[in-house]
Amino acid sequence: MRVVIAEDSVLLREGLTRLLTDLGHDVVAGVGDAEALIKTVADLDGQDALPDVVVADVRMPPTHTDEGVRAAVRLRKDYPDIGVLVLSQYVEEQYATELLAGSSRGVGYLLKDRVAEVREFVDAVVRVARGGTALDPEVVAQLLGRSRKQDVLAGLTPREREVLGLMAEGRTNSAVARQLVVSDGAVEKHISNIFLKLGLSPSDGDHRRVLAVLTYLNS
């Protein structure tokens, strides 16, 4: 897996680089601001050597507001085959919603505290690089909590909302079943009901799992 890291904290940037390198991944570049991130990816594109995934801080120089997430949104638009995983100190709903808008492929939003859970963090990076989704449980809780006010949720049962939240974290059906202490078959039935109630047909393919969450966020 080829990775570009964009983080203005040298300590965290070097830590992430060491962590991923030790696990056999190739960190092809590490930068400290959003402008350098955009330039680095463009340079790699010119060399026909695009990364599989970019890990970027939401807030970076010069203003430390939204430079990182703006760069992430731009990269998703310009290079749809690159996975983008953003890290944030806090749950910022506006940024999370903006990042998740549009394509459902290869996107993640994690709190920085999650980095300390090494296995989960690396699994999330790999999942995003492969075109999957990785959303922090706290992000899911806040976004779905806000979305409960929307009529689109009216038809879902509490259990279906719970299943949807776990799906949004990127968990497999088996992982959802273990978390809820139910059978795999029960989870499959709940997910089928969610797809049906949200009007997601089989033609939407594997991304129905992500589209189910995005339907709430965009409603």
Side-chain angles (χ1 to χ4, degrees):
M1 184 175 67
R2 291 168 52 80
V3 187
V4 170
I5 297 175
E7 167 61 58
D8 63 297
S9 167
V10 176
L11 182 62
L12 181 54
R13 185 169 70 240
E14 292 301 318
L16 292 175
T17 299
R18 178 64 180 272
L19 170 63
L20 292 168
T21 300
D22 286 350
L23 291 173
H25 302 298
D26 185 11
V27 178
V28 296
V31 299
D33 61 73
E35 183 177 347
L37 171 59
I38 295 296
K39 184 179 185 303
T40 295
V41 174
D43 289 345
L44 291 170
D45 185 30
Q47 301 167 24
D48 196 26
L50 284 173
D52 299 301
V53 61
V54 169
V55 179
D57 190 358
V58 165
R59 298 173 180 266
M60 287 194 287
T63 68
H64 292 280
T65 54
D66 62 355
E67 284 89 349
V69 75
R70 294 292 181 194
V73 170
R74 178 175 168 182
L75 289 175
R76 293 200 70 210
K77 179 180 178 181
D78 295 345
Y79 307 97
D81 290 333
I82 297 178
V84 176
L85 173 64
V86 300
L87 303 176
S88 179
Q89 194 69 42
Y90 311 101
V91 178
E92 299 175 275
E93 292 184 16
Q94 178 182 347
Y95 298 158
T97 303
E98 184 171 1
L99 182 70
L100 292 167
S103 173
S104 60
R105 176 179 175 81
V107 62
Y109 188 114
L110 296 181
L111 296 184
K112 286 188 174 181
D113 288 347
R114 202 67 58 186
V115 176
E117 300 171 20
V118 174
R119 182 175 179 180
E120 289 188 19
F121 170 71
V122 175
D123 285 349
V125 177
V126 172
R127 189 160 62 246
V128 170
R130 292 176 176 172
T133 306
L135 299 182
D136 195 283
E138 290 297 323
V139 175
V140 174
Q142 288 202 28
L143 293 177
L144 291 184
R146 179 188 65 186
S147 298
R148 286 196 180 96
K149 299 176 182 178
Q150 304 296 332
D151 291 340
V152 72
L153 291 176
L156 292 184
T157 67
R159 176 62 88 181
E160 288 165 353
R161 292 173 182 161
E162 194 172 9
V163 169
L164 180 57
L166 294 171
M167 287 165 56
E169 293 174 24
R171 300 184 188 235
T172 64
N173 288 9
S174 295
V176 172
R178 288 194 298 271
Q179 180 70 21
L180 299 180
V181 195
V182 297
S183 68
D184 287 1
V187 171
E188 291 173 4
K189 183 176 180 180
H190 287 312
I191 293 175
S192 294
N193 288 338
I194 291 169
F195 291 158
L196 180 64
K197 292 176 181 179
L198 296 182
L200 298 174
S201 68
S203 63
D204 292 316
D206 293 338
H207 291 310
R208 285 193 298 173
R209 297 177 74 88
V210 179
L211 290 172
V213 177
L214 296 182
T215 297
Y216 291 131
L217 303 184
N218 295 325
S219 64

